[in-house]
Amino acid sequence: MNPDEKFQAEQIKSDRDHHTPTAAAMISHILANLFIHRTKLRQANYYLKGQVRSFSEDKLVGMIADEDRFFDTLSQKVLAEGELVPTTLKEFSDYAMIKESGKLKYESDTVILREFITDLATQNLFVTRGIALAEKEAKFGLADFLKELYGWVKEQELVWQQYLGEDGIFQLEEDE
């Protein structure tokens, strides 16, 4: 098969996997969310001001590094399972449920931080689905790694909630 035919076959498989769904398809959403979220974290790191900047600057740099590690390691684990990973901006844009906006940098620090919390909760909606599908498909290495990602995301939610002085853990409800 030539590159055009290989890419066409990849697109057909990806479409089929997303309609089934499979662990690999769910992980495509997780990877896309991580990709977009890292961009949003960088944006915030450039534009947050005042006291929140003092708290957040090192924290955001650490989160970006952690998300880079999760992204790269998860991609390798998916490839090791013989599955596909998104590799283009179009795929990341199409698969991400986290949305970016150039205007976010002009919002108040509180709005930006609350968006982090919402984005993290959105990520975990896909992570929990990915865990269940990976376990169902006997892809235990993926399931274990996704559980690690889940725990890390929950810790990040808590850090930002505590900084904002919010009680309890914010839960993003799934639409049923």
Side-chain angles (χ1 to χ4, degrees):
M1 287 173 67
N2 68 38
D4 288 332
E5 292 167 332
K6 287 180 181 179
F7 186 68
Q8 181 64 27
E10 175 184 312
Q11 296 302 299
I12 291 168
K13 179 180 179 349
S14 179
D15 189 52
R16 184 178 59 245
D17 286 353
H18 278 86
H19 286 93
T20 303
T22 65
M26 196 58 60
I27 291 171
S28 292
H29 293 290
I30 294 166
L31 290 169
N33 286 333
L34 284 168
F35 186 89
I36 299 299
H37 197 246
R38 291 181 303 171
T39 301
K40 289 177 77 172
L41 293 174
R42 285 181 177 93
Q43 179 189 54
N45 199 34
Y46 301 146
Y47 286 95
L48 286 170
K49 296 172 182 56
Q51 285 183 305
V52 71
R53 181 165 186 78
S54 298
F55 171 80
S56 68
E57 191 167 17
D58 289 339
K59 182 69 181 146
L60 291 173
V61 169
M63 283 182 74
I64 292 165
D66 287 346
E67 287 192 5
D68 282 344
R69 180 182 64 82
F70 280 112
F71 181 91
D72 291 335
T73 303
L74 183 56
S75 293
Q76 288 300 315
K77 288 184 178 297
V78 171
L79 291 170
E81 290 285 351
E83 298 290 350
L84 302 168
V85 295
T87 58
T88 67
L89 292 174
K90 180 176 181 349
E91 289 170 317
F92 293 129
S93 179
D94 289 348
Y95 298 151
M97 296 301 135
I98 293 174
K99 300 301 177 195
E100 63 176 343
S101 170
K103 73 176 185 171
L104 183 62
K105 65 183 167 249
Y106 300 112
E107 295 287 354
S108 71
D109 295 339
T110 300
V111 168
I112 293 169
L113 297 182
R114 283 207 174 106
E115 184 144 340
F116 286 177
I117 296 166
T118 300
D119 288 348
L120 289 163
T122 298
Q123 287 187 55
N124 261 350
L125 287 176
F126 289 89
V127 172
T128 55
R129 291 173 184 160
I131 292 167
L133 288 166
E135 288 179 341
K136 179 181 174 187
E137 296 170 23
K139 294 179 179 178
F140 301 115
L142 287 175
D144 289 345
F145 189 76
L146 290 173
K147 289 175 185 177
E148 180 185 340
L149 176 58
Y150 174 86
W152 179 85
V153 168
K154 293 302 281 186
E155 290 170 9
Q156 304 318 300
E157 282 182 71
L158 182 61
V159 165
W160 295 109
Q161 288 169 335
Q162 288 176 333
Y163 180 79
L164 289 174
E166 294 179 356
D167 293 330
I169 302 296
F170 173 80
Q171 295 291 329
L172 186 64
E173 298 294 328
E174 284 191 64
D175 294 331
E176 297 196 27

